[in-house]
Amino acid sequence: MKNQYDHPKIQKLSRNGIYGILTSRVYIGIREIKTTEGTEEVPGAWQAIITDKTFEQVREVLSGNGPGPRSPRHNYIFSGLIRCARCDKKLQGKSGTGRSGQVRYYYAHPGRCAEGGLHSIEAEDAHELVDEWLARLAIDKEYFNELLEVGREGLGKQLRALKSRLKQLDHEEAALRKRLHDATTQSLSMPGSATEALREKEADKLLEQLRENEQQTEQLRSQAENLSTLLATGDPAIFRSYCDRIKDFIKLSARKKCRKVFDLLQTLTLGEEGLNVELVHADGRSFTKGGLVLVSDRITLPGVLLLKSRVFLRKLYQDEGLSTNAIARRIGVGQSTVSDAIQRHGLAKAPEDHAKRPQQVPYGYDFKSGKLVQSRSEQQIIRMVRQLRAAGMTLRDIAAHLNRKLISTKRGGVWNATTVRRILRRSHSSSL
Ligand SMILES: [Zn+2]
């Protein structure tokens, strides 16, 4: 059968294929001859390309791998790490049998994404894309430095924010000390008075506040110090440290990568058109607790991978009404590849659908197969808006509430009083 995806990088080696390569003595210069007694080993007429020691090490690793090569076990390297860029839910490692009968492994969104994020990505695709990106970082110094520059700018901002917070804490501390001083001297000057117990209570409270202030100051100060050290480190040194860790990681077996991935990748999210990745800082995890990231990037998904997603294609083709040609240009693939994908996902539509599509689909509805159908998620929001209104909230407050919940308008914008009023009016007239 012809490979479904004619992209050279996506042709896969099977698990058994890799096992065969890893256990073949051909690579240590040995020829195996099948005889009636079994297999006889003779020196090959070629040079070994790996050493005996490496071969033995690989064998050891394989024997410790547990289930044999026929087992359907799969190493979901990004399990527990990869999330949806839209709603931040963790994507789960899953497997399933495709139409061709081949087992596929992928990371999938639990349920449907309420924010319309991508549903899934094949595990191998994700692994390969990240590995390629990492490999590029480790050899392409110029590219790395570009990312570093952006990161430095972001961290510089964070450092300034930290310093101004520290200053504020300093002022607060001085004020607390003064109040504490006043409270204690006054109670000393009036021993035995009725207010003494009260003052002591106040002093205790002030002491407690001072301790909290000190703790926070200490924490932020060490964070600021770390950050200053980090920002003062020269680019070449930073590049080297990342480079070493990346190279170590890439060499690992998939099984080991599962465990080590958290030491290298801080976040990995599947977005609309790419994987967003943030690296853990070379000095270890302490930095990353405060969300300080020096190196981050978006790995653009190749067009052929995007086309595997029905959700993505439906959005461009049906919701946005783009032509196959426009989609092909946008994601950099051939027009026939797009048409094939549309057929494969069952998204082909009758040509007159296009003409019938109303200029503006009202909130609460989707335009599907030539007609308006209720959108469940949007109808839910309309109900919520009506309830809030019935509870006496102002249009402005409702709009602010929606924006806080990161719910976007039909056109993907933010809410204001007018847009809220519009859906209230419409839902009112349609319910009559
Ligand atoms: Zn999501």
Side-chain angles (χ1 to χ4, degrees), residues 393 396-407 414-415:
M393 244 170 119
R396 261 184 69 186
D397 286 348
I398 295 174
H401 179 75
L402 293 173
N403 292 333
R404 255 199 315 278
K405 294 199 128 194
L406 300 178
I407 294 164
V414 293
W415 295 93

Side-chain angles (χ1 to χ4, degrees), residues 84 86-89 109 113-115 117:
C84 169
R86 286 283 191 96
C87 72
D88 205 39
K89 275 198 176 138
H109 204 286
C113 179
E115 319 280 329

